[in-house]
Amino acid sequence: MASTSLPFTSVPLQFCSPNKSSSSSSAIKLSPRRVVVRPIRASVSEKPPVAAPSVAVSEPERKPTKLPLKKIPGNYGLPLVGPMKDRLDYFDGRDEFFKSKIQKYQSTVFRVNMPPGPPIAPNPKVVALLDGKSFPVLFDCSKVEKKDLFTGTYMPSLELTGGYRVLSYLDPSEPQHAKLKQLMFFLLKSSSKRVIPEFEACYTELFEQLEKELAEKGKSSFQTANDQAGFNFMARAFFDTDPRDTKLGTDAPSLISKWVLFQLGPVLTLGLPKLAEELLVHSFRLPPALIKKDYQRLYDFFYESSGFVQDEAEKLGISREEACHNLIFTTCFNSFGGMKLFFPNLVKWIGRAGVKLHTELAQEIRSEIRSNGGKVTMAAMEQMPLMKSVVYEGLRIEPPVPLQYGRAKKDILIESHDAVFEVKEGEMLFGFQPFATKDPRIFERAEEFVPDRFMGDDGEKLLKHVLWSNGPETENPTLSNKQCAGKDFVVLMSRLLVVELFRRYDSFEMEVGKTPLGASVTITSLKRASF
C-alpha cells in the first residue's frame, strides 16, 4: 500500500505521469560487493503498529543555524496566464520543468503554480520543496495539514467514492481518520497468514503466462500479466476470495484503470494530441456518471467479500457502506495501484542492471530458501541483504508516490541545504519526491541505480532518506500520522516479487516503454534456473 496521501498509493498512490523523467535515463552501477554485511534492521512487521505519538521529522523551527534567512524566490505570474504557462511547461516535461526553475532561481525552494490550475483548481499556488532536507516537513502533522490534499491542489468528485471523503483525504486531526486507519491495520493483520502463499500462487500463474506467451509470440507484456495477478492476489490475501469465482471475473484491472483516470486525469499525460488533452482532460473534469456502473461492479464485489471487515468497522463506529468505499480505495487505488506502478519500474531497474546482479540475487535467494527448508518465509527474506537493498533502491530512485502536498498550519521556517525560508500560515507546500530521494547532497551517485546501496552499516544509515511512503523508511505508520498504513506490506510484496523471479530464473531480458503511470515492460527472454 503506498501512502495514505497517493501508487495508485496505502497503497498509497499519488499518481502522476512521468514526463521525460530523469530517472528513466539514470545510469545503473554495481559497486564492489562489501565483504561484511549486516542484515538491514528495517523490515516488514507482521503486526501493523497501532496508536503512537506523532513523530515530528522536520528540523526544529528555532534551532540555531548559520544558514541565511531568505525570501522565497519565484512568482505566480498574472492570473490565469501564469498558471496556464506553468501547466503547459509542466506537461512538456516534468523533471525538466523543475530543473529549469531550480536553475533560474538558484534555489530548491521557490514559488510556482502546480497543475491542473483553473478552472479545475482555482488556486494552484504552491511553495515547492525540491531537496531532501526541506521535503520532510511535509510529513510533520504538527506543522502541515493534509485535509483534501491527496491529489494536490484539486480534489476529485466525491461521486467517485460513494459520496465519502476516504482515508487518504482526511487529516489526522479529524476523528474519522484514526477509526479508518485502525480498520486498515485490522485488514492487514487479518490477512498476514495468507500473504506469502497467495502471492506465490498468483505470481506462479503470472510466470507461467509469461513463459507461454514467450513460446508463442517471442515476447510477453509483464504489465498485463501483473495487473491481473496483482488484483487476484489482493482479493485472495485481503478477503480470501478469488474474483474469478464471482461476477467480477477478470474485469477488475480495466475497471480500476478507468476509475483512476477519472480521479487523476487532470495531472496525467495520456499521450493524446496536446490540444485535445488540454481541453478534454486538463481543463475539465470527466463526468463521474460515465463510470457509475463500473464502480458499482467493484462495490458489489467488495461488499459481498468483506463482511468480516465490515463487522469490525461497525465496532469502530464506521458504517458498513463507508467501510466498503474505503476498502475499495485502499485496495484498488492504493495497494493495487502501487503494484501496477512500482512492480514494472522495479523489474525495469533490475533488468537494466544486467546478468551480474541477476546472478548474485539468484545465488543469495536460492541459498537462503534452501537453508529454510525450501520455503519462502519472513525469516529467510531477512537473510537476503542484497535483495532487500535492491527493493529499497527501487523505491528511492523512482518512488511510486511522486507528489506530496500539505498546507501550513502556522507560520513556519523551512531549511534547505543553503538557506532558511519563512512560510506563512495557510500557504500550500508541495514536494516532488524523486528530487528529494535523488538529492546529490545526501546520496552519492544519486542518479544511478546502485543495487547494494543500503547494505551494511553505512547503507542502513541512509534508509531515513528513503521517503516513498509519506514518511521516512525508518519511521512507522501510526493513527496520528499520514504515513502509509500498508508501508511494510508494500515492501514485503516487492521483496516477494524479486524472490519469486530469481528462484525461477537465472536472468531475463526485456524492452521498456512508457505509460501514463510509469514504465511498460515487455519480457523478451527468461533463462530458467540452472543451479
Side-chain angles (χ1 to χ4, degrees), residues 351-529:
R352 286 176 173 173
V355 174
K356 183 175 184 293
L357 173 63
H358 299 177
T359 302
E360 291 176 347
L361 284 169
Q363 290 172 338
E364 178 184 80
I365 289 166
R366 293 173 203 171
S367 174
E368 291 304 327
I369 291 176
R370 284 193 293 268
S371 298
N372 283 266
K375 295 182 179 180
V376 177
T377 63
M378 297 287 288
M381 287 190 288
E382 282 302 315
Q383 301 305 313
M384 302 176 187
L386 177 60
M387 179 277 292
K388 293 195 290 183
S389 179
V390 163
V391 169
Y392 285 133
E393 180 69 343
L395 290 166
R396 179 200 72 85
I397 199 167
E398 201 163 6
V401 184
L403 312 180
Q404 291 284 353
Y405 289 85
R407 191 178 300 280
K409 289 184 174 180
K410 56 187 177 182
D411 292 356
I412 56 176
L413 297 177
I414 297 177
E415 288 188 14
S416 69
H417 293 294
D418 302 310
V420 179
F421 303 93
E422 185 176 8
V423 172
K424 296 295 184 181
E425 178 182 352
E427 288 196 274
M428 181 81 83
L429 301 175
F430 156 76
F432 185 50
Q433 201 145 253
F435 277 28
T437 56
K438 291 188 290 187
D439 186 334
R441 295 170 76 165
I442 294 175
F443 293 102
E444 294 182 5
R445 298 152 62 195
E447 295 287 335
E448 299 174 11
F449 182 81
V450 181
D452 62 353
R453 186 186 296 276
F454 297 102
M455 290 174 64
D457 289 341
D458 291 342
E460 186 175 342
K461 292 174 183 177
L462 289 172
L463 286 173
K464 65 183 178 181
H465 300 294
V466 178
L467 310 173
W468 69 273
S469 64
N470 203 5
E473 185 59 36
T474 49
E475 300 292 342
N476 293 313
T478 70
L479 300 184
S480 55
N481 67 21
K482 286 299 290 181
Q483 190 162 25
C484 172
K487 162 184 168 275
D488 288 346
F489 179 73
V490 173
V491 174
L492 173 58
M493 290 192 300
S494 303
R495 290 177 177 179
L496 286 170
L497 175 67
V498 179
V499 168
E500 292 300 327
L501 177 59
F502 287 102
R503 73 186 295 198
R504 286 175 170 81
Y505 307 107
D506 288 346
S507 187
F508 68 95
E509 296 177 352
M510 62 177 191
E511 297 172 351
V512 178
K514 290 184 178 181
T515 74
L517 293 175
S520 170
V521 174
T522 300
I523 303 297
T524 58
S525 172
L526 289 169
K527 183 180 179 182
R528 286 181 177 272

Side-chain angles (χ1 to χ4, degrees), residues 92-360:
D92 274 343
R94 184 175 62 183
D95 286 24
E96 289 75 9
F97 173 72
F98 291 129
K99 287 177 181 177
S100 68
K101 295 288 186 182
I102 291 173
Q103 176 105 14
K104 178 178 180 180
Y105 300 124
Q106 291 297 294
S107 174
T108 52
V109 177
F110 52 83
R111 299 185 182 278
V112 70
N113 298 290
M114 279 298 292
I120 294 176
N123 184 4
K125 300 176 181 179
V126 303
V127 176
L129 311 176
L130 301 184
D131 63 79
K133 189 174 183 181
S134 63
F135 186 95
V137 74
L138 289 161
F139 308 146
D140 189 344
C141 291
S142 70
K143 296 178 181 178
V144 299
E145 181 185 69
K146 294 283 192 172
K147 184 177 180 180
D148 296 340
L149 301 180
F150 182 65
T151 46
T153 58
Y154 77 103
M155 184 174 176
S157 170
L158 292 183
E159 292 182 50
L160 296 167
T161 50
Y164 290 94
R165 292 172 60 237
V166 293
L167 177 60
S168 292
Y169 291 97
L170 300 179
D171 185 77
S173 64
E174 299 179 77
Q176 204 70 355
H177 178 274
K179 294 179 183 180
L180 289 169
K181 198 165 187 180
Q182 184 65 60
L183 184 66
M184 298 310 138
F185 287 153
F186 170 82
L187 175 67
L188 291 164
K189 181 180 178 181
S190 66
S191 65
S192 60
K193 292 182 180 180
R194 293 189 294 269
V195 169
I196 292 179
E198 291 295 359
F199 191 97
E200 182 175 350
C202 291
Y203 276 77
T204 292
E205 293 178 10
L206 175 144
F207 290 119
E208 289 174 349
Q209 180 180 337
L210 293 181
E211 289 184 14
K212 181 180 178 182
E213 291 186 358
L214 274 172
E216 294 174 352
K217 306 175 184 178
K219 60 182 180 180
S220 179
S221 169
F222 177 82
Q223 208 86 10
T224 302
N226 179 61
D227 285 359
Q228 194 64 61
F231 185 81
N232 291 346
F233 160 68
M234 292 290 178
R236 289 161 60 167
F238 286 166
F239 309 112
D240 200 18
T241 301
D242 192 325
R244 294 170 294 187
D245 297 332
T246 72
K247 293 179 181 179
L248 189 59
T250 59
D251 293 341
S254 61
L255 298 178
I256 295 169
S257 294
K258 285 191 285 184
W259 176 63
V260 169
L261 172 62
F262 275 63
Q263 297 176 71
L264 297 180
V267 292
L268 294 180
T269 298
L270 303 178
L272 300 174
K274 190 168 184 177
L275 180 59
E277 198 159 82
E278 279 298 306
L279 294 176
L280 299 177
V281 183
H282 298 158
S283 298
F284 302 98
R285 299 174 186 268
L286 297 171
L290 294 179
I291 58 165
K292 185 176 181 179
K293 291 182 179 179
D294 291 341
Y295 185 74
Q296 187 64 46
R297 289 188 65 193
L298 291 172
Y299 183 87
D300 291 343
F301 170 79
F302 278 86
Y303 194 84
E304 293 167 6
S305 304
S306 63
F308 71 101
V309 188
Q310 296 171 44
D311 292 342
E312 180 68 18
E314 289 188 319
K315 295 177 185 177
L316 295 170
I318 304 167
S319 72
R320 301 179 81 86
E321 182 181 14
E322 182 175 7
C324 190
H325 288 294
N326 274 273
L327 290 173
I328 294 172
F329 199 90
T330 293
T331 306
C332 298
F333 195 105
N334 296 147
S335 302
F336 171 75
M339 294 178 76
K340 180 181 178 69
L341 179 63
F342 182 62
F343 277 18
N345 286 339
L346 182 59
V347 171
K348 173 189 71 177
W349 287 111
I350 294 173
R352 286 176 173 173
V355 174
K356 183 175 184 293
L357 173 63
H358 299 177
T359 302
E360 291 176 347

